[in-house]
Amino acid sequence: MSTSLLYHGFGIHGYQYVRTAFEKGTIVFRITQDAFTLRCPHCKSRIVRRRGTVVRRFKTIPIGSIPVFIELAIQRVECLRCNIVRQVKLGFANWRRTYTRSFERYVLALCRHMTIQDVANHLKVGWDTIKGILKRYLFRRFKRPKLNHLKRIAIDEISIGKGHRYLTVVLDLSSGAVVFVGDGKGSDALAPFWKRLKRSKADIKAVAIDMSPAYIAAVLENLAQAAIVFDRFHVMKLYNDRLSELRRHLQREAEGPLQIKVFKGTRWLLLKNPENLNNEKDESNRLKEALKFNEPLASAYYLKEDLRQFWNQKSKAEAEKYLAAWITKARSSKVAMLMKMASTLAGHKYGLLSYYDHPISTGPLEGTNNKIKTLQRQAYGFRDMEFFKLRIFGLHETKYALVG
């Protein structure tokens, strides 16, 4: 082995190769430091006197599946300028670490494709060592994400476990990066974000949220100039929830075994979009039969399909006319569920029409929430909440691929 291989293979320069040892299934490279590189670690002076050595081993990149260590007798020096006695700084490892910087880089590369436990098993170290390397890296990169470039953001909460535990997540819709993770949900969870945002002087143009009164009040208070865009998927989810309640109510009131049989199993058919109905399972005919027996249910279903078309209009003016016509039609149906939905949409008209000025939604954030849940499942939960949040900040760099 040559000294140049130390540099090109393991990122070690300024040291000379001495010998190689093979001990209990490991490879140990002994090196020594060049005398002319000795400096005072405090004042960088070259005027030093040697004061003994301490032998240490550092884990580095493995060769195949065989662990590799670098052994060095670290020199202690007395500085004749500042009169202190300390060990010299190492060029290939950080202070008080038992592994080299190249080993850290290798660990971070593996962590992009493997779980922490998998990396630990592969490198034959403890999982806490791998976690420590990853946590320090994430902390350096994401401890305070920059906010001054933000233009369009999305806000939503995600459930992270039993007992109504939530995190509130803010996503930059331009880059797909998470810029804030708050504990809990509602306006209180966003308080630290608003403080940092004001200091950053970011010019937020639009915010995509659901129709939560807490989020609406928080955005109006802290981003008065930004347009509020109500997410289309949350609007349709609200409609589907109310449609399910209507179906359950009608099923309870159904008379006769035939009507009860028709209603059974129609919940998911009502929630599906027409183009997603499975003809092989005769879902279209089953749905038509259920709608034929009940006029309120039929009205609610067909108005649902009409509402979906609101986001496909050619202009904001046409969308405003379309929404007004839909609200009139829903109110004239005399179905309580539809009248309630019409009132809800009429009260949130400004946020629905804002979509045509800023065509954004919380869809990318829902995708990030799915990544967060995948991250939780892979780790079987997180006990270190700070580490969990740091992993969330780095999720936009993670790719999940379907294989097999």
Side-chain angles (χ1 to χ4, degrees):
M1 178 177 176
S2 65
T3 298
S4 62
L5 185 58
L6 281 175
Y7 172 66
H8 293 290
F10 299 95
I12 299 172
H13 59 91
Y15 299 84
Q16 296 294 325
Y17 167 74
V18 178
R19 66 181 178 86
T20 303
F22 303 92
E23 302 175 3
K24 298 179 181 179
T26 66
I27 301 173
V28 181
F29 296 130
R30 171 164 284 187
I31 62 175
T32 184
Q33 187 168 6
D34 294 334
F36 67 86
T37 63
L38 295 178
R39 291 187 180 186
C40 170
H42 180 67
C43 68
K44 312 298 182 187
S45 172
R46 293 179 181 270
I47 309 172
V48 295
R49 181 182 297 144
R50 299 186 187 186
R51 282 296 189 90
T53 59
V54 176
V55 177
R56 286 184 60 191
R57 284 187 178 181
F58 302 86
K59 196 174 185 68
T60 190
I61 302 172
I63 298 176
S65 60
I66 303 175
V68 178
F69 292 88
I70 301 296
E71 184 177 279
L72 171 66
I74 303 175
Q75 185 69 54
R76 185 186 293 111
V77 296
E78 177 186 0
C79 180
L80 301 181
R81 177 179 292 175
C82 58
N83 297 320
I84 64 169
V85 179
R86 290 183 184 174
Q87 289 182 358
V88 296
K89 287 186 176 180
L90 301 176
F92 59 88
N94 291 324
W95 181 248
R96 291 185 177 176
R97 299 282 179 253
T98 59
Y99 39 79
T100 64
R101 293 194 186 98
S102 59
F103 181 80
E104 288 190 67
R105 291 192 292 271
Y106 185 56
V107 166
L108 294 173
L110 291 178
C111 284
R112 293 190 181 96
H113 310 283
M114 304 163 64
T115 65
I116 288 176
Q117 189 63 62
D118 288 338
V119 176
N121 292 339
H122 172 62
L123 298 177
K124 298 179 175 60
V125 296
W127 67 267
D128 53 332
T129 300
I130 304 301
K131 176 196 167 184
I133 293 172
L134 183 56
K135 185 175 181 178
R136 283 190 296 274
Y137 166 76
L138 293 173
F139 186 79
R140 287 194 303 270
R141 282 208 59 189
F142 303 114
K143 60 179 178 180
R144 290 183 72 83
K146 293 182 179 179
L147 305 180
N148 58 341
H149 63 284
L150 295 180
K151 297 294 182 184
R152 293 172 177 83
I153 60 175
I155 304 174
D156 200 6
E157 72 269 356
I158 179 175
S159 173
I160 59 168
K162 297 178 181 178
H164 300 288
R165 294 172 57 212
Y166 291 91
L167 290 178
T168 297
V169 181
V170 181
L171 186 80
D172 176 11
L173 290 173
S174 299
S175 65
V178 173
V179 294
F180 176 77
V181 181
D183 295 311
K185 63 177 182 177
S187 57
D188 292 341
L190 288 167
F193 175 69
W194 301 131
K195 288 182 181 178
R196 287 195 56 216
L197 194 64
K198 286 177 183 176
R199 289 197 296 267
S200 72
K201 298 181 180 179
D203 183 20
I204 305 292
K205 301 294 185 184
V207 184
I209 56 175
D210 58 24
M211 292 189 289
S212 163
Y215 285 160
I216 295 172
V219 173
L220 290 175
E221 180 181 350
N222 295 280
L223 295 174
Q225 304 302 319
I228 294 177
V229 182
F230 293 128
D231 178 57
R232 60 186 297 179
F233 303 104
H234 282 88
V235 173
M236 295 310 302
K237 181 180 181 298
L238 176 63
Y239 193 103
N240 283 332
D241 290 342
R242 292 182 177 178
L243 182 60
S244 294
E245 290 176 9
L246 175 64
R247 184 200 65 84
R248 283 194 295 268
H249 174 71
L250 295 174
Q251 185 175 353
R252 286 194 296 268
E253 293 186 346
E255 297 179 358
L258 180 60
Q259 284 196 15
I260 294 174
K261 183 180 178 181
V262 168
F263 274 114
K264 265 195 167 184
T266 59
R267 178 189 175 191
W268 299 115
L269 300 182
L270 291 167
L271 301 184
K272 275 187 176 183
N273 296 332
E275 62 271 17
N276 295 331
L277 292 173
N278 191 333
N279 292 326
E280 293 180 3
K281 297 182 180 179
D282 202 29
E283 290 183 344
S284 296
N285 290 331
R286 286 171 55 200
L287 179 60
K288 287 178 183 177
E289 192 176 355
L291 297 177
K292 183 174 65 176
F293 271 90
N294 197 285
E295 186 178 344
L297 188 64
S299 299
Y301 177 78
Y302 291 124
L303 278 174
K304 170 196 163 185
E305 297 311 309
D306 289 344
L307 182 59
R308 286 177 60 210
Q309 301 307 313
F310 166 77
W311 289 275
N312 298 327
Q313 302 304 303
K314 293 180 180 179
S315 66
K316 186 176 182 179
E318 289 187 21
E320 187 171 7
K321 291 178 183 177
Y322 189 92
L323 182 60
W326 191 94
I327 291 172
T328 301
K329 197 184 300 183
R331 283 173 172 165
S332 63
S333 69
K334 303 303 180 183
V335 179
M337 169 261 172
L338 290 174
M339 295 172 70
K340 185 178 178 182
M341 192 68 196
S343 298
T344 300
L345 297 185
H348 296 81
K349 180 180 175 180
Y350 63 96
L352 295 170
L353 293 173
S354 292
Y355 175 81
Y356 284 88
D357 296 322
H358 306 278
I360 59 175
S361 73
T362 62
L365 183 50
E366 293 298 330
T368 298
N369 287 346
N370 287 334
K371 280 188 175 184
I372 294 173
K373 291 175 182 177
T374 301
L375 183 67
Q376 276 191 294
R377 285 196 298 270
Q378 283 183 330
Y380 290 91
F382 285 84
R383 289 175 292 179
D384 186 343
M385 188 54 64
E386 182 187 13
F387 181 54
F388 182 35
K389 290 181 180 179
L390 289 172
R391 292 296 302 269
I392 292 173
F393 282 126
L395 269 181
H396 65 286
E397 298 178 347
T398 304
K399 305 291 183 185
Y400 290 101
L402 294 174
V403 294

